[in-house]
Amino acid sequence: MRNLIRFLVRNNAFFLFLLLEGLSLWLIQRHQAYHHIKIVNSTNQITGGIQETYHDITGYFALRRINDSLQQEMAQARSGQLPPAYAAQLVKVDTVVDTIYEQRYTYWPVKVIASTVHHADNYAMLDRGTKDSVREGMGVIGPAGIVGKVVAASPHYAKVMTVLHRDFRAAVQLKRQGLRGALRWAPFSPTQAKLDYIVEPADLKLGDTIITSGASTYFPKGIVVGTIADFSLTPGENFYDITVDLATSFSSVRYGYVIKDQYLAEKDTLMTLE
Amino acid sequence: MSSIVQHIARFIGLLFLQVLVLNQMTILGWATPLLYPLFVLLLPIGMPLGWQLLLAFGMGVSVDAFAQTGGMHALALVFMTFLRPAILGVITPKEGYQPDDQPTIAGLGLSWFLVYAGLGFFVHHLVFYLVEILSLVHWQHMLFRTVFSWVASLLLAILALYVTYPKAGKRTL
């Protein structure tokens, strides 16, 4: 007993060690439960501010590249590839077709002020938060394709779970064939993902484009996800093993759009009716 | 007195170097150099362990706050700090540590520092990547990244010491 007490006294650093490690574990656990955190805590306001300043400075070096991608996007918008509208068709008996376009999705421009690609689960930070109506559960796209989903928002910043996260899923489809599947990250690759649930036989080709299917409320239909990099079929399996090259370069994405679905509430109500 | 200022400056310098520069880097898409443990490795040899642990926790939590990683950096750095006396013990020079010995290249030589920092960074990186992945399913990947990032950090640490202590060349090997 005396030995034990002497041990405890002599090793008080050991208890400090245990305490600090316990504290770290608690912080990690709290962080992992990201979906329970509705408000990003105040430290993010400080670190977010510093990171934003840093982004503003380094942003100049990326201006040429950003200009190029903006131009590309303009070209896309001109050819009507962004799906901003919902076409409501009224077909009457006298065959007069009246097509009106009603705004369904709103795109808010945001800056991506920080993003990671090399962690086991990756996030990005946006420079807009609840003050600009950015809320948890909104989809985020970049100039090239999908980026992720907002998982937390503070007044001025929002945290995005990018495709490069082990919990990320998105409803997608093959553009050419229309086959629907689910997208998930190919863990730890900064550029690739997997496409699940494509049943054989399917007419697949390398380079086939994958787009969002619009089945989830995060993304409208038709946002580019990536292209097929590789596919194979294990004998006896029903589903292909498909690897996807993601369109978005997550290490260099600098700006994007937060998507709000105006019909979200309506869709939700309908889904919960049964 | 000046050494306290030096340690504070090193704390701030390493913190910002880590979160603003190194965290934005990936080497071949595989690893990020984690240089901030150098702060703990360069603390005076005779400093009470309790203080070392508290400083390590402060550094780790600061990096975590920027990197949005909860407490992963803090956990790994506190762990490394707790093992630091053991590491120092394993590689004690023949004549033992003198009161004014600095745990640097200039103080105890390059080969001593390589083993010292090598062990320290390895413990830190291993714990960090283990906690980050939080599973043993992908252990090959974890080990690969640990080693990759470890080499990068160690090279950077030696470079940093040669840059900040120009006199280090006097006592190499």
Side-chain angles (χ1 to χ4, degrees):
Chain A
M1 190 64 200
R2 243 178 59 199
N3 281 345
L4 182 69
I5 291 168
R6 197 186 303 157
F7 173 83
L8 292 183
V9 171
R10 208 184 289 163
N11 291 281
N12 58 357
F14 180 67
F15 291 101
L16 186 62
F17 164 71
L18 287 185
L19 184 78
L20 293 176
E21 292 293 51
L23 209 57
S24 305
L25 276 175
W26 177 74
L27 285 170
I28 292 171
Q29 187 271 335
R30 202 186 60 158
H31 171 79
Q32 306 262 331
Y34 61 87
H35 47 264
H36 298 305
I37 311 170
K38 289 281 192 285
I39 302 158
V40 184
N41 62 30
S42 60
T43 53
N44 283 354
Q45 294 293 335
I46 300 164
T47 60
I50 294 174
Q51 271 173 337
E52 194 174 12
T53 311
Y54 178 78
H55 171 88
D56 281 348
I57 296 166
T58 57
Y60 286 106
F61 302 113
L63 275 184
R64 178 188 285 266
R65 190 168 48 72
I66 291 173
N67 268 347
D68 288 350
S69 60
L70 275 175
Q71 200 178 11
Q72 228 167 40
E73 246 184 301
M74 270 301 285
Q76 256 178 15
R78 273 176 199 277
S79 59
Q81 285 184 18
L82 273 182
Y86 167 81
Q89 288 192 329
L90 289 173
V91 183
K92 290 184 178 160
V93 194
D94 55 0
T95 72
V96 173
V97 179
D98 186 8
T99 310
I100 56 160
Y101 285 99
E102 193 181 314
Q103 178 100 21
R104 170 164 180 191
Y105 295 103
T106 316
Y107 297 84
W108 276 306
V110 288
K111 278 186 200 159
V112 180
I113 57 174
S115 66
T116 65
V117 296
H118 48 274
H119 291 173
D121 291 306
N122 295 284
Y123 295 92
M125 186 128 92
L126 307 179
D127 71 336
R128 291 278 181 261
T130 50
K131 282 205 167 164
D132 296 286
S133 312
V134 174
R135 299 265 188 284
E136 187 193 331
M138 291 181 174
V140 181
I141 61 171
I146 66 167
V147 171
K149 304 166 182 177
V150 175
V151 290
S154 66
H156 299 102
Y157 299 102
K159 186 176 177 182
V160 177
M161 172 203 278
T162 66
V163 179
L164 313 182
H165 190 294
R166 284 175 290 181
D167 292 337
F168 183 91
R169 299 289 183 275
V172 298
Q173 68 176 57
L174 288 157
K175 190 179 183 183
R176 191 162 57 86
Q177 302 87 331
L179 298 168
R180 294 189 171 203
L183 187 81
R184 67 179 164 88
W185 185 29
F188 316 126
S189 162
T191 55
Q192 292 188 320
K194 290 282 184 188
L195 174 57
D196 292 336
Y197 310 125
I198 298 296
V199 189
E200 68 103 19
D203 161 37
L204 301 177
K205 282 198 183 66
L206 294 184
D208 275 353
T209 306
I210 292 149
I211 56 174
T212 52
S213 71
S216 73
T217 51
Y218 295 105
F219 303 104
K221 184 176 177 174
I223 304 284
V224 175
V225 172
T227 52
I228 295 184
D230 188 30
F231 66 90
S232 63
L233 187 66
T234 318
E237 290 279 333
N238 293 324
F239 300 115
Y240 285 95
D241 178 19
I242 304 174
T243 306
V244 179
D245 273 333
L246 292 165
T248 299
S249 161
F250 289 88
S251 55
S252 65
V253 63
R254 286 288 186 153
Y255 72 96
Y257 304 91
V258 170
I259 302 166
K260 189 181 180 190
D261 185 351
Q262 311 282 4
Y263 297 172
L264 178 63
E266 185 184 325
K267 213 168 173 179
D268 278 354
T269 326
L270 193 63
M271 293 300 273
T272 51
L273 264 183
E274 12 161 19
Chain B
M1 180 56 207
S2 70
S3 93
I4 293 176
V5 175
Q6 202 182 14
H7 286 296
I8 293 171
R10 196 181 290 132
F11 184 100
I12 296 168
L14 279 172
L15 173 64
F16 281 90
L17 182 65
Q18 184 67 49
V19 299
L20 294 182
V21 183
L22 300 181
N23 276 359
Q24 324 288 330
M25 280 171 54
T26 49
I27 297 169
L28 305 175
W30 273 105
T32 299
L34 301 171
L35 188 62
Y36 66 91
L38 189 62
F39 166 73
V40 171
L41 291 174
L42 295 184
L43 287 174
I45 292 174
M47 192 180 206
L49 186 56
W51 280 111
Q52 293 185 36
L53 289 170
L54 285 175
L55 286 171
F57 185 74
M59 176 59 116
V61 160
S62 308
V63 176
D64 280 322
F66 280 97
Q68 308 255 313
T69 42
M72 295 179 198
H73 290 289
L75 188 126
L77 192 59
V78 168
F79 192 84
M80 185 205 82
T81 308
F82 187 69
L83 288 189
R84 186 179 176 233
I87 296 172
L88 281 168
V90 170
I91 54 166
T92 309
K94 277 192 206 103
E95 65 276 23
Y97 293 108
Q98 308 303 316
D100 57 342
D101 267 349
Q102 297 291 319
T104 58
I105 299 175
L108 288 157
L110 179 63
S111 54
W112 179 88
F113 184 80
L114 261 180
V115 180
Y116 169 64
L119 285 171
F121 275 113
F122 191 76
V123 168
H124 172 271
H125 285 30
L126 191 65
V127 173
F128 177 76
Y129 285 112
L130 190 70
V131 172
E132 190 194 33
I133 281 191
L134 266 188
S135 79
L136 290 173
V137 179
H138 303 285
W139 65 271
Q140 298 103 326
H141 171 83
M142 182 211 70
L143 217 57
F144 185 71
R145 266 173 44 161
T146 302
V147 172
F148 208 98
S149 169
W150 174 64
V151 173
S153 309
L154 199 56
L155 288 176
L156 211 58
I158 288 164
L159 188 74
L161 278 190
Y162 273 115
V163 171
T164 50
Y165 294 86
K167 281 177 278 177
K170 276 185 186 171
R171 251 193 83 170
T172 45
L173 299 167

